[in-house]
Amino acid sequence: MTEKTAVKRTRSVTTEAMAERRQSILHYASQVISRSGVEGCSFAELSELSGFSIGMIQHYFRHRERLISATVEYRTEETMREWQRIYANGENALERLHDLLTFAVEGDTPFAEAWGFWLEIYAAAHKNAEIRDSVAEVLSTWRTLFVRALEEAIEERLLNPTADVDELATLFTAVIDGLAIQSLNNIHQSTPKTMIETLHRFAAREFGIDADEFIRNKRSKLVGVRSKGTP
């Protein structure tokens, strides 16, 4: 091995290690925000939870605003990667819609931590233009996921919704956020389990398909759907 090659490999490992350390800091930052809110996400609090020194955290993010923005981006990218894995396993668009609604509640991150984070971010967005812009991008991303799956389902002739695709995508994101608030705070005795069933039942009615079948079976009587005059 030449000296030049050895130096190149050393730099590569160092770069990877730095990227992993940055991701780890952001992971812990998302936990701090979920528990203590955006205002409670100080370098000192993050240092205590993560074990990284305040100096190390400052080295990567300089100031708190940059840390918060990077954490929102981190959680969005994590969500998209997880959804792509789920999407790839779907056999048809209706099944993907079923899984997308379920994924809004049940992901790799526990419900309370995941939605605790997003609700704290939503709350902070009201008074912080930078966070507000980040939230707008997140919601746009979620709408895009639904629009894509809905368009595929219509193209595959699996459903024929009464509302247009853009309106449905907006409704789904709004209903998901509203139900998450109720479930996180146990309002109306709502839980993540009941949230999933409510989402599936609501979606099935909008799709014009049998709700009980959609809840039990991802494919939801596809033959029956086609026979109802779907173009």
Side-chain angles (χ1 to χ4, degrees), residues 49-108:
L49 178 65
S50 68
F52 292 108
S53 68
I54 292 176
M56 176 69 71
I57 297 169
Q58 288 176 327
H59 171 73
Y60 281 94
F61 301 102
R62 301 299 179 187
H63 52 76
R64 199 174 70 89
E65 288 72 19
R66 184 178 294 181
L67 170 68
I68 300 301
S69 179
T71 305
V72 173
E73 183 179 351
Y74 162 78
R75 289 302 297 267
T76 303
E77 291 176 352
E78 286 287 293
T79 297
M80 288 301 296
R81 279 194 290 270
E82 187 179 353
W83 166 240
Q84 289 300 330
R85 293 197 302 270
I86 296 171
Y87 183 91
N89 291 328
E91 294 184 4
N92 57 62
L94 192 59
E95 182 173 325
R96 293 185 187 106
L97 281 166
H98 181 288
D99 290 345
L100 180 55
L101 290 163
T102 304
F103 172 60
V105 186
E106 292 183 345
D108 288 345

Side-chain angles (χ1 to χ4, degrees), residues 80 100 136-151 164-174 176:
M80 288 301 296
L100 180 55
E137 291 180 11
V138 170
L139 292 177
S140 177
T141 299
W142 266 100
R143 286 188 79 262
T144 300
L145 294 178
F146 278 109
V147 167
R148 176 185 179 187
L150 285 164
E151 288 178 341
D164 64 37
V165 167
D166 286 330
E167 182 179 347
L168 273 180
T170 298
L171 279 173
F172 285 146
T173 53
I176 287 168

Side-chain angles (χ1 to χ4, degrees), residues 2 7 11 28 31 38 50-52 57 67 70-71 91 97 105 113 121 133 140 145 160 176 190 200 205 217 230-231:
T2 65
V7 170
R11 286 177 179 171
Y28 284 111
Q31 292 184 344
V38 171
S50 68
F52 292 108
I57 297 169
L67 170 68
T71 305
E91 294 184 4
L97 281 166
V105 186
E113 180 182 332
I121 292 296
D133 290 342
S140 177
L145 294 178
N160 187 21
I176 287 168
S190 182
H200 287 162
R205 284 195 294 266
N217 184 349
T230 305

